[in-house]
Amino acid sequence: MRDHEVADLLDHAVATVELPSDLARRVVAGSRARRRRRLLLSGGTAAVVAVAGALLLPQVDPLGRDGGGDVGGTAPSAAADVPAGIVGADGRAVTPTQVVAVGRTGTETIVLVKREPRAEERAVGGQAAEVWIAPDRGDPRRLHDYLSYDLACVDGDAVCAAVRSTGSGLGVAVARRSGGRLYVLVQAPQGRSVEVVADGVAHPLGPAPRGAVAEVVAVEPYDDVQVWASTADGQRYRIPWAPGAVLNN
């Protein structure tokens, strides 16, 4: 079975709450190991070139500008306002402290709402959110009632492991297909900046404590899109994709 088919099955399973309680953690860790081995065998050189190029990118300012030319897609957007009608698990309108990230994706707004992670995931540092989609016309709807994240790092990424062990979190990313386009909404804790690399094209977003969005060009987000975060001291790590993080129409 191809990667994108596995990803689609995971998306469906998460959406229908069919996953065993600890499968998200095992899938994230296992898929990273398999993908790393595959890249080393079939495309290691290209991956090294793409990452090396990303490391040489100039510093971005808080608005995500890099002072250079067009990097493809559209300019990144800052955090959007939370639309009316988004509610938490208690049925009440969400408060700012409940919102993990919010951003505009085409004619929609994505809102990630914090929720309590399952006990076994919380014990290993996992976090969870509900995913809401609010179209410009029509009522908001809950797309996922449980999205696990912060459960794993890419194998061998020492910076990611060190940042995760502090308890401040890695951040979260979701990709949304909408109107034939692909948007990536990213959030990272205060004091870090983020960047999306899609098929080797870098999209600097800068700081994104409330979320920032980039439109990218890629066929398979799990395979072709990487989300990076940089700490204040210049260390860099990848924000892992969680099962269910690619939101299809």
Side-chain angles (χ1 to χ4, degrees), residues 111-245:
V111 184
L112 303 185
V113 180
K114 186 183 304 181
R115 63 164 298 164
E116 187 69 17
R118 299 182 181 113
E120 62 275 11
E121 294 179 351
R122 184 174 58 251
V124 293
Q127 300 190 56
E130 295 181 351
V131 182
W132 285 76
I133 299 292
D136 289 348
R137 297 182 179 179
D139 296 327
R141 61 189 176 97
R142 185 188 287 108
L143 195 61
H144 284 325
D145 65 359
Y146 194 94
L147 176 72
S148 302
Y149 64 98
D150 268 2
L151 284 171
C153 299
V154 178
D155 289 357
D157 191 335
V159 175
C160 182
V163 170
R164 185 170 180 265
S165 68
T166 65
S168 59
L170 302 173
V172 60
V174 296
R176 172 65 169 163
R177 300 186 196 274
S178 179
R181 298 181 173 182
L182 180 65
Y183 302 89
V184 180
L185 168 63
V186 187
Q187 183 274 343
Q190 195 77 41
R192 304 176 201 178
S193 61
V194 296
E195 177 182 73
V196 178
V197 179
D199 282 338
V201 177
H203 303 261
L205 297 179
R210 291 191 64 243
V213 175
E215 181 185 350
V216 304
V217 177
V219 176
E220 298 297 339
Y222 286 115
D223 294 334
D224 303 333
V225 180
Q226 300 175 354
V227 182
W228 295 87
S230 298
T231 60
D233 60 3
Q235 295 189 92
R236 184 177 171 89
Y237 66 91
R238 280 177 63 178
I239 298 177
W241 290 114

Side-chain angles (χ1 to χ4, degrees), residues 17-34:
V17 199
E18 295 172 1
L19 286 178
S21 60
D22 67 339
L23 183 59
R25 174 175 56 82
R26 291 187 283 114
V27 168
V28 172
S31 65
R32 292 305 159 195
R34 289 193 297 274

